[in-house]
């Protein structure tokens, strides 16, 4: 009887641990999705559609209200001001969502270009002499690796020299202005 209780308790603990693990994985996934600009973009599109629909609805109500006023059927100014404010508010909401979408697209583009640059300029693995049988197809030969490193050093030196030259020009202009 006691062994059956222990088995039951351990099964309950296993189920609880699995549930905790699953909730942690869901939290991590949702956090990753919050930072993913493409996922955020996809989440904002339905909101943008609703906001555009709201802008069009408010605009049509404003046109109808203005037509009534133009025909002289209703002369209350308070209702007209409230409708214009609502239109401004809905249009501002629409533009705010458009700005968020633009930022998401710019961020996604920047992430993509950074990833492309990273794969283009970062060295692939060089196979080690201890395990020659595990040569990967993406790996570079040692001579290819050396030539890539030399080109990176050369590029870094060129950038360093260009920055030094610019700083000297700026310092020279600053001294010439002071004299």
């Amino acid at each position: 009887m006691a062994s059956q209780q222990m088995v039951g308790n351990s099964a309950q603990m296993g189920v609880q641990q699995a549930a905790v693990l699953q909730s942690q994985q869901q939290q991590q996934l949702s956090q990753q999705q919050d930072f993913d600009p493409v996922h955020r973009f996809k989440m904002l599109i339905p909101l943008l559609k609703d906001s555009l629909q709201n802008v069009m609805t408010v605009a049509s109500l404003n046109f109808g209200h203005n037509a009534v006023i133009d025909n002289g059927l209703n002369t209350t100014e308070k209702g007209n001001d409230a409708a214009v404010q609502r239109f401004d508010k809905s249009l501002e909401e629409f533009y705010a969502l458009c700005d968020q979408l633009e930022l998401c697209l710019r961020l996604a583009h920047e992430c993509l270009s950074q990833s492309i640059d990273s794969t283009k300029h970062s060295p692939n693995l060089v196979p080690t002499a201890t395990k020659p049988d595990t040569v990967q197809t993406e790996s570079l030969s040692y001579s290819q690796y050396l030539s890539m490193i030399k080109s990176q050093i050369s590029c870094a030196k060129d950038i360093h020299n260009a920055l030094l030259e610019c700083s000297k020009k700026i310092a020279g202009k600053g001294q010439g202005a002071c004299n």
Side-chain angles (χ1 to χ4, degrees):
M1 187 77 157
S3 64
Q4 288 177 349
Q5 280 183 331
M6 290 178 67
V7 170
N9 288 340
S10 64
Q12 283 180 336
M13 288 177 59
V15 170
Q16 288 173 349
Q17 288 175 348
V20 168
L21 183 63
Q22 185 179 8
S23 67
Q24 288 174 349
Q25 288 174 345
Q26 287 174 347
Q27 274 183 331
Q28 288 175 349
L29 182 62
S30 68
Q31 287 175 350
Q32 287 174 352
Q33 289 173 347
D34 288 343
F35 294 120
D36 182 21
V38 175
H39 178 74
R40 179 142 173 82
F41 179 84
K42 288 178 181 179
M43 287 178 47
L44 288 174
I45 290 294
L47 297 175
L48 185 70
K49 286 181 181 180
D50 293 341
S51 179
L52 180 61
Q53 184 178 5
N54 186 35
V55 167
M56 295 300 170
T57 303
V58 171
S60 68
L61 291 174
N62 279 346
F63 281 131
H65 184 72
N66 288 340
V68 168
I69 291 174
D70 288 345
N71 291 333
L73 300 175
N74 189 356
T75 59
T76 59
E77 289 294 324
K78 259 187 188 177
N80 188 17
D81 290 342
V84 170
Q85 289 174 355
R86 271 191 62 206
F87 177 73
D88 290 346
K89 191 176 188 177
S90 63
L91 192 61
E92 190 65 33
E93 178 186 331
F94 176 76
Y95 282 139
L97 284 171
C98 287
D99 290 343
Q100 288 180 19
L101 286 170
E102 181 182 7
L103 288 174
C104 287
L105 289 175
R106 285 181 187 212
L107 181 61
H109 182 266
E110 185 66 29
C111 288
L112 178 65
S113 64
Q114 189 175 23
S115 175
I116 289 170
D117 288 343
S118 176
T119 57
K120 181 178 171 184
H121 298 295
S122 65
N124 294 333
L125 298 175
V126 177
T128 60
T130 58
K131 297 181 183 179
D133 57 332
T134 60
V135 175
Q136 298 175 352
T137 59
E138 299 174 2
S139 63
L140 298 174
S141 68
Y142 189 70
S143 60
Q144 289 173 330
Y145 177 75
L146 280 179
S147 67
M148 183 171 40
I149 295 300
K150 286 178 183 177
S151 70
Q152 288 178 345
I153 291 171
S154 172
C155 183
K157 283 181 182 178
D158 291 343
I159 292 171
H160 182 263
N161 291 336
L163 289 173
L164 281 176
E165 185 179 323
C166 287
S167 68
K168 287 177 184 177
K169 283 182 181 180
I170 291 172
K173 286 181 182 179
Q175 290 175 356
C178 293
N179 292 334

